[in-house]
Amino acid sequence: MGLDRGDGWWRRAVIYELAVVSFQDSDGDGKGDLAGLLQRTDYLTWLGVDAVWLTPIYPSPMGDFGYDIADFRAVDPTFGTLADFDRVLHALHDAGIRLILDFVPNHTSSEHPWFVESSLSRTGDKADWYLWADGAANGGPPNNWLSRFGGTAWEWSEARGQFYCHTFLTQQPDLNWRNPRLQEALADVMRFWLDRGVDGFRVDASAVLIKDDLLRDNPPNPDAGKETPPPQRFTPVFTDDRPETMGCIEMLREVLDEYDGRVLCGEVQGKTDRIGHFYGSDKPRLHLPLNFALLDSQWDALSLQATIDAYFNALPKGAWPDWVIGGHDKQRVASRIGPAQARVLAMLLLTVRGTPFLYMGDELGKQRSPLPRESVQDPFEKLVPGFGLGRDPERTPMRWDGSEGGGFTAGKPWLPMQDHRSCNVEQQQRDERSLLQLYRQLIELRRKHPCLVDGDYQPRRARNDVLCYRRCQGQTRMSVGLNIANEPRQWPCGGGIRLISTHLDRAVEQVEGPILLRANEGIVVIEAL
């Protein structure tokens, strides 16, 4: 197929996040690897996605799903070698699919050589590559900052005689972004992978790269209650989304822009009205600050209407929108809205204006997989139990068929595969009306009709549980009606040619308005002029 290196490709792309460890095992050790991913590139081509984003594949002790990186310029032996990575990259490019890597600039593993050296002395070459501070007057931590995984964000180093900051696990020390030499080292890491041909990065924890230089205490969270997880009992005013962080992101973008046709996505935090902050103005920042608004919205037509409107209103002029419906640390949306509305979500994701992101298994309607207590691996669940923060249920391996190992492995999977065996690729590929087939057809529809990519978004008033909007480009007007109710609803569309129904049981044909939408049905219509 070949690869289009044109700028702005990410505006047209459907981006598919996959965790290599849970995608396909090639050697029977129960963990997915790059050779396994290579075996499944035909599936990605069949589905029609334009880019894949890989969770970290770097050498790591794997204390936090590989986000504790011990070497930024290599591949963990669990996944293979750099040569395996190159083979995957070239195979994807040959298929016209781009590859985006996770980039983790906030912290490293405590086993990273940078940290080992920084820990030895206060005057060494890398002494200030991490966030070090003396203790409080009573000998305790420097302030009240909390780790996302519970407890203080400070850990004592006997060798250095100081505390180091860790926003996440104790074994994930935070880097000091105020050090120019550290910044240049991270820029060189980016160039290492860009020179190999990767098409961009998703920046992990991009909102927390800089912390308050005065180490001021965070104030109490006024909304905290009995149901609030302990790490959230303070409002992170002095640790999250500091103004200086924007300069860090601008530096990352400058490095990326040394190369043609690359994209910078980023994990951002805060409310919708803050997301525009991460696009930049005088200096560009992220191409795509990841937008999880659909995951956070109440699932009814009026709430969705408001969620979409608020997001579009928050975008700066010229900014390109995006929509994310799943991820390695987000609860499965199908578990919350149910299988019927998961089909409606698919149509919304692939017809609303903006770049769609989905996570492996979302196209199957994969739900949260309950795990026995002894199988839990996620530190969130281990260190902050009882609040439903565990992410293992989202990370269970992909089911390719209905066999015991799901076609994923010939060995024992690294996480139990306790989801329903019928939720697998092979079965849904055979079923012409499956959710997987719906995703494939919607992706193809989006590719055939540029209006669904580049067209203006025109909201219509949501009434009677029907969310609806138009996409308009030139003389083309396409209307989308989504029934959020579990019973039929009238949709006052003017009629035209119905292209697709979420039920996948209606032919392309002329329809007259108003249109009766069946329970949990969405349709796309090209309006008659």
Side-chain angles (χ1 to χ4, degrees):
M1 183 183 298
L3 190 68
D4 173 15
R5 277 290 186 188
D7 289 340
W9 59 265
W10 36 269
R11 293 172 178 258
R12 304 181 298 276
V14 175
I15 301 178
Y16 185 88
E17 182 194 356
L18 65 87
V20 174
V21 71
S22 291
F23 199 60
Q24 179 63 57
D25 173 23
S26 71
D27 57 12
D29 68 354
K31 295 180 178 179
D33 45 47
L34 290 168
L37 171 54
L38 192 62
Q39 295 171 9
R40 297 296 186 181
T41 53
D42 285 350
Y43 170 71
L44 299 170
T45 303
W46 175 87
L47 181 59
V49 298
D50 302 286
V52 295
W53 146 27
L54 304 185
T55 56
I57 56 171
Y58 315 100
S60 169
M62 299 295 168
D64 182 25
F65 207 54
Y67 285 90
D68 46 331
I69 297 170
D71 184 350
F72 285 114
R73 299 183 185 221
V75 170
D76 193 279
T78 300
F79 304 125
T81 65
L82 272 174
D84 292 326
F85 174 82
D86 290 338
R87 280 190 283 272
V88 167
L89 179 65
H90 294 151
L92 290 172
H93 280 182
D94 287 346
I97 300 173
R98 291 173 172 79
L99 190 150
I100 298 168
L101 281 183
D102 239 313
F103 181 59
V104 187
N106 178 72
H107 51 267
T108 69
S109 165
S110 55
E111 296 182 14
H112 196 291
W114 295 351
F115 184 73
V116 173
E117 182 177 346
S118 188
S119 301
L120 295 177
S121 167
R122 300 190 188 191
T123 58
D125 185 56
K126 293 182 175 59
D128 59 349
W129 281 36
Y130 292 81
L131 293 180
W132 294 96
D134 293 329
N138 64 1
N143 59 25
N144 71 352
W145 295 353
L146 297 177
S147 162
R148 298 288 201 277
F149 291 107
T152 177
W154 297 94
E155 182 72 8
W156 176 256
S157 168
E158 195 65 43
R160 176 143 168 165
Q162 282 185 305
F163 287 88
Y164 67 84
C165 182
H166 58 93
T167 299
F168 299 96
L169 288 178
T170 301
Q171 299 86 359
Q172 292 172 292
D174 283 13
L175 290 160
N176 177 18
W177 263 87
R178 288 188 170 86
N179 185 311
R181 292 178 59 235
L182 179 276
Q183 291 187 24
E184 188 54 38
L186 290 171
D188 285 344
V189 168
M190 294 177 68
R191 295 185 184 104
F192 174 84
W193 294 104
L194 291 166
D195 287 340
R196 294 193 93 85
V198 303
D199 300 285
F201 299 99
R202 174 265 189 184
V203 183
D204 180 67
S206 61
V208 298
L209 299 180
I210 290 275
K211 287 77 179 176
D212 181 53
D213 58 350
L214 298 178
L215 305 184
R216 287 173 284 183
D217 287 332
N218 280 323
N221 178 0
D223 298 322
K226 291 183 179 179
E227 303 301 318
T228 304
Q232 299 173 21
R233 69 173 185 265
F234 295 115
T235 303
V237 173
F238 296 110
T239 51
D240 292 25
D241 198 10
R242 301 294 299 164
E244 303 94 326
T245 297
M246 297 303 109
C248 304
I249 297 174
E250 289 165 4
M251 187 278 281
L252 298 177
R253 177 64 180 272
E254 287 176 7
V255 176
L256 190 92
D257 285 347
E258 296 171 11
Y259 299 77
D260 293 333
R262 313 301 168 96
V263 68
L264 196 66
C265 315
E267 179 188 24
V268 301
Q269 296 168 318
K271 298 180 180 179
T272 293
D273 60 3
R274 291 286 293 155
I275 205 162
H277 191 51
F278 290 88
Y279 282 96
S281 51
D282 295 337
K283 289 186 176 182
R285 295 166 186 166
L286 301 174
H287 292 100
L288 298 174
L290 299 184
N291 163 36
F292 297 98
L294 290 178
L295 285 175
D296 297 331
S297 176
Q298 292 294 316
W299 201 257
D300 61 80
L302 296 183
S303 296
L304 287 167
Q305 172 183 256
T307 293
I308 294 169
D309 196 70
Y311 172 68
F312 281 133
N313 289 339
L315 297 180
K317 184 178 180 180
W320 187 255
D322 65 81
W323 303 90
V324 186
I325 64 160
H328 63 278
D329 56 5
K330 300 293 182 181
Q331 294 195 2
R332 291 280 183 182
V333 67
S335 293
R336 181 166 68 90
I337 66 176
Q341 282 294 309
R343 302 177 76 93
V344 173
L345 171 61
M347 183 168 282
L348 171 60
L349 175 71
L350 290 160
T351 60
V352 73
R353 182 176 172 86
T355 299
F357 285 76
L358 62 152
Y359 176 55
M360 64 177 205
D362 286 340
E363 74 274 25
L364 303 174
K366 187 173 171 66
Q367 299 193 35
R368 301 200 87 208
S369 302
L371 299 178
R373 185 180 301 274
E374 63 272 14
S375 298
V376 170
Q377 298 196 32
D378 184 18
F380 242 146
E381 185 62 29
K382 291 180 177 180
L383 298 174
V384 192
F387 291 92
L389 300 176
R391 301 163 295 179
D392 286 334
E394 283 64 49
R395 299 171 176 183
T396 55
M398 188 86 162
R399 277 199 178 275
W400 299 96
D401 59 40
S403 65
E404 183 176 353
F408 164 73
T409 183
K412 180 181 179 181
W414 76 281
L415 279 175
M417 300 174 67
Q418 299 194 183
D419 47 340
H420 202 280
R421 289 193 185 188
S422 64
C423 185
N424 68 72
V425 171
E426 183 181 76
Q427 180 166 321
Q428 292 202 28
Q429 281 183 323
R430 291 198 307 264
D431 181 356
E432 294 181 354
R433 298 181 184 177
S434 68
L435 178 60
L436 176 59
Q437 291 286 359
L438 176 62
Y439 266 97
R440 187 178 188 230
Q441 291 189 33
L442 285 168
I443 291 171
E444 180 62 24
L445 188 74
R446 177 183 167 89
R447 185 169 286 119
K448 285 182 176 179
H449 294 275
C451 181
L452 292 177
V453 177
D454 300 315
D456 292 336
Y457 168 83
Q458 294 183 356
R460 317 305 293 171
R461 183 176 177 181
R463 296 184 181 184
N464 200 27
D465 300 316
V466 176
L467 175 68
C468 50
Y469 48 89
R470 278 198 185 110
R471 302 297 308 278
C472 302
Q473 185 182 41
Q475 296 299 307
T476 303
R477 295 196 308 180
M478 303 181 73
S479 283
V480 181
L482 305 171
N483 184 4
I484 312 300
N486 191 31
E487 55 187 33
R489 289 288 189 267
Q490 287 280 354
W491 175 37
C493 176
I497 300 174
R498 182 182 57 230
L499 296 177
I500 190 172
S501 161
T502 52
H503 290 32
L504 293 181
D505 61 351
R506 292 183 173 183
V508 176
E509 62 181 0
Q510 187 78 31
V511 292
E512 300 296 333
I515 296 172
L516 180 66
L517 296 174
R518 292 170 292 178
N520 307 298
E521 183 181 26
I523 66 171
V524 180
V525 173
I526 292 186
E527 295 184 24
L529 295 178

